[in-house]
Each structure stands twice: as C-alpha cells, then as structure tokens.
Amino acid sequence: MCSGGFAKCLGISLMPLAIVCVLCNILLFFPGGKVVDSEHITEKVWFMGGILGSGVLMIFPALVFLGLKNNDCCGCCGNESCGRRFAMLSSILFAAVGVLGAGYSVIVSSVAINQGPLCFVNGTGVNETGWMYPFSEGNYLSDKSLWSKCEEPAGVVSWHLSLFSVLLVMGIIQIALCAVQVINGLMGALCGDCCGCCGGSDGAV
C-alpha cells in the first residue's frame, strides 16, 4: 500500500476514536448518569482531556491524513512528486500534534483513575462527611469494598473508572497510530508516495 493510502487508513481509524473520546468526556459531566451541581463534578473532568486532547487536537491530524491519498500538488523544481513528498513531510507535524493531544488525555485519565471520583461520603466524623475524594493512591482499584464509601451519586465509582479507562485506552491507541504516521510520513517524504510498490512512478518518463 502506498504511503498516501496508508495515511488515509490511519485517518479513518482516528476519526471514530476522537468521537468516542469526546462522548466519554461529556458523559463524565454527569457522574453516575445523574445531573449534579458543577462543584460536585470531579476536577479532572474539567481538564477536558477527551474533548480537547483526544478530540479537537486529534481531528486536525485525522483530516490531514485523510487528504494525503488525494493530494494533487503541482510539484516543484520540475519534479512532479515534490508536492506529495512535502505533504507527507508536513503530515509528521500534524502527527506530532496528535501525539501531544492524546498524551495530554492519557495523563489526565491516569491521574483521574488514580485519584478516584468526587462523591458524597457519610462518615463517622465531621471531617469524614460531605463531598470529597475518599480514595488515595488508587487503593479502590484493588479493593472493591471501598466503593461503598461513595453514597452519592449512585454508581459514580464504576462510571468514573469505566469512562476514564476508555479515554486512557483510546489515547494510547491514538498515540500509536500517530507514531506510525510519523514513520509513514518519513518514508513517503524520502521515497515518494509509493515507496517500494510503485518504484517507477517518480522517475517515469
């Protein structure tokens, strides 16, 4: 497969991932599927790792990758493939933007999973009752019995953990796909759009 066609496949793969990340981040604004006051939403949700990082910043690379297949630059210096080579080279910059965006989402998701959700706790003491982060250093991940500390919103722990886990996994996949495009872009810039499979196309008479 030529580098432009392969980049298009990567772009097609990135688009649904970006949409899923945006949807997951939006759902996190409704902990446990409930509408709550803004001050009762987990702080890391407001960092919008899924909307900004794996969403908006991923749309631009995906659109660029999709357009590489049909790139019809006029060429330069008498070389018809020059425009395509430059397009493949520029795609590396957009892939880097994608890596940064997805990396941001991965970091936010990792911290959020480790911290746990903001929820209402009805403890035995004054300082143990109210809206707080009842877990520390991800201890609830290995001890499900601790989930009962969160009384409201109902099911907030599984909601928080599931959606941030999806964001984490999607972000890692996005990083991998963008990293692949960096390699693909380098090959396309150095060898031409169809390096190895259409070897005669650049120098054809």
Side-chain angles (χ1 to χ4, degrees):
M1 179 183 292
C2 299
S3 55
F6 185 67
K8 182 177 181 179
C9 293
L10 294 177
I12 292 174
S13 300
L14 286 173
M15 289 298 287
L17 294 179
I19 294 173
V20 168
C21 289
V22 171
L23 291 177
C24 285
N25 204 146
I26 292 175
L27 289 174
L28 283 166
F29 282 102
F30 305 93
K34 310 293 192 306
V35 177
V36 299
D37 293 337
S38 58
E39 61 267 24
H40 296 157
I41 296 175
T42 301
E43 180 188 21
K44 297 302 180 291
V45 176
W46 294 101
F47 284 39
M48 298 188 185
I51 295 176
L52 297 178
S54 288
V56 175
L57 288 180
M58 194 57 61
I59 293 296
F60 296 112
L63 292 176
V64 170
F65 300 165
L66 286 171
L68 288 175
K69 171 66 176 177
N70 300 318
N71 185 284
D72 57 354
C73 292
C74 298
C76 55
C77 303
N79 187 344
E80 294 182 359
S81 68
C82 180
R84 287 183 178 273
R85 290 174 186 266
F86 179 77
M88 293 303 298
L89 187 61
S90 65
S91 73
I92 297 175
L93 297 178
F94 285 93
V97 171
V99 170
L100 290 176
Y104 172 72
S105 180
V106 167
I107 292 173
V108 171
S109 300
S110 299
V111 174
I113 291 174
N114 185 64
Q115 181 184 44
L118 174 66
C119 61
F120 182 80
V121 177
N122 188 11
T124 56
V126 175
N127 295 330
E128 298 176 356
T129 301
W131 289 87
M132 63 182 69
Y133 295 94
F135 310 120
S136 61
E137 299 301 325
N139 59 345
Y140 73 103
L141 297 174
S142 58
D143 188 356
K144 195 172 182 178
S145 64
L146 295 176
W147 294 17
S148 60
K149 286 185 176 182
C150 285
E151 296 189 2
E152 297 180 17
V156 65
V157 180
S158 57
W159 186 271
H160 174 95
L161 181 58
S162 299
L163 292 175
F164 271 116
S165 294
V166 171
L167 286 175
L168 178 63
V169 173
M170 294 296 101
I172 292 174
I173 294 175
Q174 288 175 329
I175 290 174
L177 292 177
C178 287
V180 169
Q181 176 53 29
V182 170
I183 299 173
N184 182 52
L186 283 173
M187 292 180 62
L190 295 175
C191 307
D193 185 43
C194 292
C195 180
C197 68
C198 303
S201 61
D202 287 350
V205 179

